[in-house]
Every structure is written in C-alpha cells, then in structure tokens.
Amino acid sequence: MSDFTDAVDGFDPGDAVPRNWSDNTKTSTAPAVAVSSISGIVTAPLKQRQPLTGREVPFLREHAPGPIKITLPSATQFPAISFKYGVTDAVYRDPYALLDAVTSIMVEDIRVLAGSGISYLQIDAPRYSYYLDPQWDLLDGEGTAG
C-alpha cells in the first residue's frame, strides 16, 4: 500500500491506522506490539503524481533475468483503513466513492502495465471477507471497519 500512497496525493500519513500484532494464545501475557502504520486517512481528492510501480518496474527491467511479476494492493483495502467519517466524507461522500476513486487510479496503471510486457500482475490481499463478514461493514458510520 505504501507505493500507492507514495504515488498519490490526498493521504494524511499523520492519521495512519496502526497495525498491531498480538499473540492470542492463552499462555501469552505479552501486550500487543505496534508493527507498522499504513496508508493514512484520505483528507483531499486523490491525485496520482507518478506510476504506482514507478520505482519497481525500471529496476526489475534492468535486473530481472526473466519474466516480471508486479503486485498491487487491493483497492478494497482503502475504504476500510483510509476513510474516516467527519474527515474523508468532506471529500468523498462515503467509502464507496473513495473505492471508486482508488479503482479509477489503479485501472489505468494496470492497463499500462499489462500493455508494457509485464508477465504477471497480482492484486494482493483482495479482502473478500469484507463482503461476507459483518465486522467489516464499511458503512458503519464510525469510519472504522466493524
């Protein structure tokens, strides 16, 4: 996801969603540990500044001896972690409008990559569970999943 947020204006990294890891076993007494922050909250209209894979593709073309595989983040991740009611809804009316904006950016980049001879394109972590698990209801009114 960092390649997307590096290539696209509109994210506030200061309001990023922390990702924590905890050992949920019954024998663990260790507290959750912050392992990273991702994305940031969308605070302005998304505007692409550079290709999403602007650093990787030139490097791989120069150094990879065989077919190239590029992995892009799933657009479905962004509404769940980058939409915050009271902030993002001033720019995009709801998480689905944000999803549409992210998808529009990705579609064009995928089209260019596919036409440029990249052998494999992978959409990483498509989050199909968002469509099945009520915990991930994108329209819960809180700006958080669930």
Side-chain angles (χ1 to χ4, degrees):
M1 295 186 59
S2 64
D3 291 339
F4 191 94
T5 57
D6 288 346
V8 176
D9 288 332
F11 292 89
D12 178 2
D15 203 1
V17 175
R19 290 292 185 169
N20 297 320
W21 179 86
S22 67
D23 181 354
N24 289 330
T25 63
K26 292 180 181 182
T27 60
S28 176
T29 59
V33 176
V35 293
S36 67
S37 291
I38 56 170
S39 174
I41 301 300
V42 172
T43 58
L46 299 183
K47 182 177 179 186
Q48 188 173 4
R49 292 186 321 277
Q50 63 192 35
L52 302 179
T53 56
R55 293 177 288 193
E56 293 85 350
V57 170
F59 179 85
L60 290 170
R61 286 197 191 282
E62 183 179 338
H63 298 287
I68 295 174
K69 174 185 169 187
I70 294 294
T71 303
L72 296 171
S74 173
T76 59
Q77 294 183 37
F78 291 94
I81 61 176
S82 297
F83 190 94
K84 183 176 184 178
Y85 283 94
V87 177
T88 310
D89 56 355
V91 182
Y92 295 102
R93 71 183 177 284
D94 58 33
Y96 298 103
L98 175 59
L99 177 61
D100 186 54
V102 170
T103 302
S104 295
I105 290 169
M106 292 187 71
V107 162
E108 188 54 36
D109 259 41
I110 290 169
R111 187 174 287 125
V112 169
L113 287 168
S116 72
I118 300 297
S119 302
Y120 303 98
L121 293 172
Q122 175 179 318
I123 304 299
D124 198 22
R127 305 289 192 243
Y128 296 126
S129 62
Y130 288 178
Y131 302 106
L132 304 171
D133 187 343
Q135 173 186 342
W136 293 103
D137 181 4
L138 295 179
L139 294 176
D140 69 358
E142 299 297 320
T144 59

